[in-house]
Amino acid sequence: MGNDQTRDAKRKTIIAGNWKMNKTVSEAGALARSIVEGLAAEPKGEALPEIVLCPTFVCLAEVLNQVKGSPCKVGAQNMDYRDSGAFTGEIAPPMLAAMQVQYVLIGHSERRQFFGETNDSVNLKVKAALAHGLVPVMCVGELLEQREAGQTDDVVRQQVVAGLAEISAEQIAQAGGAKVVIAYEPVWAIGTGKNCESPEANRVCGLIRGIIEEFYSGKNIASSVSILYGGSVKASTIDEQMQQEHIDGALVGGASLKAEDFLPLIKGGAKRLKSFSHA
Ligand code: PGA
């Protein structure tokens, strides 16, 4: 196994489903159940990627219940950064942690676009997630007009640097890997069916890894941070995406809402893992 592959294998391959504002409690429970059943029907002994299901807050308890004893983990789609208080309508990190939620999406582009999320609020939330033992999946990505103006790299750099501000290597690192996941999601590719070409997605994910390397120089963090691609990921694109050096998994919206669409993506992640063991 070459050095690069040793580094790749060190970080988790993650396939995460962002269910967004979809599914009632019973529908979410049924979807989680069919994913679990689909996984159980697969041949035993095959290494699986980390699978993370992110339903709405009201469905978290039901989905946690349905995935008990299965390889699936559960994530929230957002949270406040404060612990408690007079913040009507918000959900606090300790509430998620107490439920055994393990992941939380932070700064998804829809939160940035429609709910006033900024690089500063993203930073506060990433810090809060780490403080409560939740793994933040920090989402970054450029708008179409930023890409067309040649600003992609600058925008992504700003988002990564601001999002990780004042977070130490010690806060991020843990035995066996990093506690922060980054998702590169070009906004123009989300929910549009327009996929960012794999080599370009890989280039930006590599850029992100380079930024983390600079940020935590000499701390051995960058090679263990999983960097996911998101934006119209589907069964027909996953294999090529999972062959890229810097794409460690996928954050999936539309294709995570049906088990028959999502299970092939998990298989795509499993193939990436297999390629390490055969390297
Ligand atoms: P999409 O959404 O897969 O429907 O493009 C991805 C996301 O928003 O995380």
Side-chain angles (χ1 to χ4, degrees), residues 25 28-30 32-33 36 53 55 59-70 72-74 99-101:
V25 172
R33 198 164 47 248
V36 169
L53 309 181
C59 297
L60 284 170
E62 172 65 10
V63 171
L64 279 159
N65 197 28
Q66 292 296 341
V67 304
K68 231 177 246 161
S70 85
C72 299
K73 307 276 172 26
V74 176
M99 292 180 86
Q100 316 299 330
V101 167

Side-chain angles (χ1 to χ4, degrees), residues 2-267:
N3 273 346
D4 281 352
Q5 262 135 359
T6 310
R7 278 206 299 276
D8 280 354
K10 204 171 110 186
R11 42 189 194 257
K12 277 188 182 146
T13 298
I14 301 173
I15 303 293
N18 173 10
W19 296 358
K20 308 194 179 183
M21 197 174 72
N22 293 294
K23 311 276 177 199
T24 62
V25 172
S26 65
E27 288 166 351
L31 173 56
R33 198 164 47 248
S34 26
I35 292 168
V36 169
E37 284 168 3
L39 291 172
E42 289 297 315
K44 299 276 165 282
E46 181 135 303
L48 287 170
E50 181 95 331
I51 304 159
V52 186
L53 309 181
C54 304
T56 60
F57 290 124
V58 293
C59 297
L60 284 170
E62 172 65 10
V63 171
L64 279 159
N65 197 28
Q66 292 296 341
V67 304
K68 231 177 246 161
S70 85
C72 299
K73 307 276 172 26
V74 176
Q77 297 174 14
N78 177 39
M79 62 174 198
D80 198 87
Y81 62 89
R82 293 161 287 217
D83 279 5
S84 64
F87 302 105
T88 302
E90 290 300 293
I91 304 285
M95 299 171 188
L96 298 176
M99 292 180 86
Q100 316 299 330
V101 167
Q102 295 186 32
Y103 285 81
V104 58
L105 305 183
I106 303 288
H108 187 280
S109 68
E110 286 149 19
R111 305 269 349 144
R112 293 180 191 255
Q113 254 181 307
F114 307 128
F115 301 97
E117 196 89 69
T118 62
N119 284 341
D120 290 343
S121 64
V122 167
N123 177 243
L124 288 168
K125 291 181 180 192
V126 171
K127 285 180 191 157
L130 290 170
H132 290 280
L134 297 158
V135 177
V137 179
M138 186 176 92
C139 305
V140 299
E142 79 288 356
L143 302 167
L144 182 59
E145 52 268 36
Q146 292 168 330
R147 173 159 285 264
E148 286 174 346
Q151 296 165 346
T152 298
D153 294 9
D154 288 344
V155 169
V156 168
R157 172 175 292 274
Q158 256 173 26
Q159 290 174 333
V160 172
V161 169
L164 296 177
E166 296 163 12
I167 297 172
S168 68
E170 290 67 34
Q171 281 170 292
I172 289 191
Q174 67 173 356
K179 267 196 213 164
V180 167
V181 175
I182 313 266
Y184 169 56
E185 298 203 302
V187 179
W188 49 273
I190 295 180
T192 58
K194 269 192 234 154
N195 207 259
C196 179
E197 297 289 326
S198 297
E200 172 59 8
N202 183 53
R203 186 192 70 79
V204 181
C205 290
L207 173 86
I208 293 171
R209 199 174 309 285
I211 297 166
I212 299 171
E213 180 76 48
E214 277 168 40
F215 208 77
Y216 297 107
S217 74
K219 297 279 171 47
N220 219 0
I221 297 287
S223 60
S224 68
V225 171
S226 297
I227 302 178
L228 317 184
Y229 167 76
S232 300
V233 173
K234 46 190 168 301
S236 59
T237 64
I238 191 76
D239 282 354
E240 189 184 77
Q241 286 155 343
M242 292 301 94
Q243 281 161 16
Q244 308 298 317
E245 180 182 356
H246 292 292
I247 303 181
D248 303 310
L251 178 55
V252 187
S256 69
L257 293 173
K258 286 188 194 153
E260 66 262 36
D261 293 337
F262 193 57
L263 288 164
L265 306 183
I266 297 175
K267 270 205 174 141

